[in-house]
Amino acid sequence: SEGYAGGLFGQMKNSDETALTIGDITVSNSITSISGKYAGGLAGGICGNVVIKLNQSYLCEIPVNAASASGDACAGGLVGELTALDNAKPVIQIDSLLEVKNDITSTDYAGGLAGRMENCVISADTGAGIRQSTALEASGYAGGLAGYMKKVTCTFADFSLMANISKGNYAGALCGYAEDTDITVTQEMVSQDS
C-alpha cells in the first residue's frame, strides 16, 4: 500500500488539539504485518496538534514495513512519520517503556519511535525508555529513536534506549541524521545495542 497503516490508526491529523493517553497496550500478531508507505505500531502518520502520552507499557509484536517506489517511506515502532500542520506541532510524551519485539524495515526511514520526525516535540520522564530488540533497518536513515529528525525538540530525563540497527546509510543509536534539532538530557541517558 502507498498509504498510511497503523495498529490503531492509519493517520491522525488535526489543527485543534487532540489528546490520546495510552496505558498498557499491546499491538499483537492478530495481523501478520503493518505495511504501507507510512507505517507504525500505533499510527502510520501523526500530523498537527496531536498529543500522545504513553503512561504505561507499550508493546508492538507485529513487523512494521514501509516501502514506496516514489521514496520517503517511513516505518517506526510507534508511528511512521511525525509532522507539524500549520505550525501546530505533535507532541509525544513517554512516561514508561516502549518495547518493539518485531522487525522495523523501510526503504527510506526507520526508527524505534518514528521513521521520520519534523517540527515536533518529544519528552521522556524518569525511568522511560525504548527497547527495540529485533532488526531495525532502512536503505537510507535508521536510528534507535528516529531515522531522521528536523526541527525537533527532545527532552530526556533518566532515559534508556536500546536499538538493534542492522542497516542504514545514515545510522545512529539515537538518530540516523539530525538537522536543526535540540536535545536536552537532564539526567543520565543510556544508549546501547541489543
Side-chain angles (χ1 to χ4, degrees):
S1 168
E2 283 283 304
Y4 294 86
L8 293 180
F9 305 99
Q11 183 186 37
M12 297 178 72
K13 184 176 182 179
N14 207 342
S15 55
D16 298 322
E17 183 172 316
T18 299
L20 177 64
T21 300
I22 298 173
D24 198 16
I25 186 169
T26 300
V27 181
S28 65
N29 58 0
S30 57
I31 55 178
T32 56
S33 69
I34 298 171
S35 301
K37 181 173 181 179
Y38 305 98
L42 177 71
I46 293 178
C47 180
N49 198 359
V50 178
V51 178
I52 304 288
K53 295 181 181 179
L54 298 166
N55 64 3
Q56 293 184 42
S57 64
Y58 169 88
L59 172 62
C60 180
E61 297 181 320
I62 303 172
V64 177
N65 310 299
S68 173
S70 59
D72 291 336
C74 301
L78 185 70
V79 64
E81 181 184 52
L82 280 168
T83 58
L85 175 66
D86 300 328
N87 296 318
K89 298 180 180 182
V91 175
I92 304 289
Q93 181 180 329
I94 307 168
D95 295 330
S96 61
L97 178 65
L98 185 150
E99 191 168 10
V100 180
K101 287 190 171 181
N102 264 326
D103 297 348
I104 301 172
T105 58
S106 173
T107 53
D108 299 290
Y109 305 93
L113 182 70
R116 182 172 62 193
M117 302 178 184
E118 294 190 27
N119 292 299
C120 61
V121 177
I122 308 296
S123 67
D125 207 350
T126 301
I130 298 173
R131 182 185 303 143
Q132 193 275 321
S133 55
T134 55
L136 190 156
E137 60 181 56
S139 299
Y141 303 84
L145 184 67
Y148 177 88
M149 299 167 73
K150 182 176 181 180
K151 296 183 179 177
V152 177
T153 302
C154 299
T155 305
F156 300 118
D158 190 20
F159 182 73
S160 65
L161 177 63
M162 184 176 77
N164 183 17
I165 301 166
S166 56
K167 181 181 177 184
N169 287 337
Y170 297 89
L174 180 65
C175 180
Y177 184 88
E179 179 181 349
D180 297 329
T181 291
D182 295 318
I183 299 173
T184 302
V185 179
T186 58
Q187 295 181 44
E188 180 182 19
M189 180 173 176
V190 177
S191 175
Q192 65 184 49
D193 280 338
S194 63

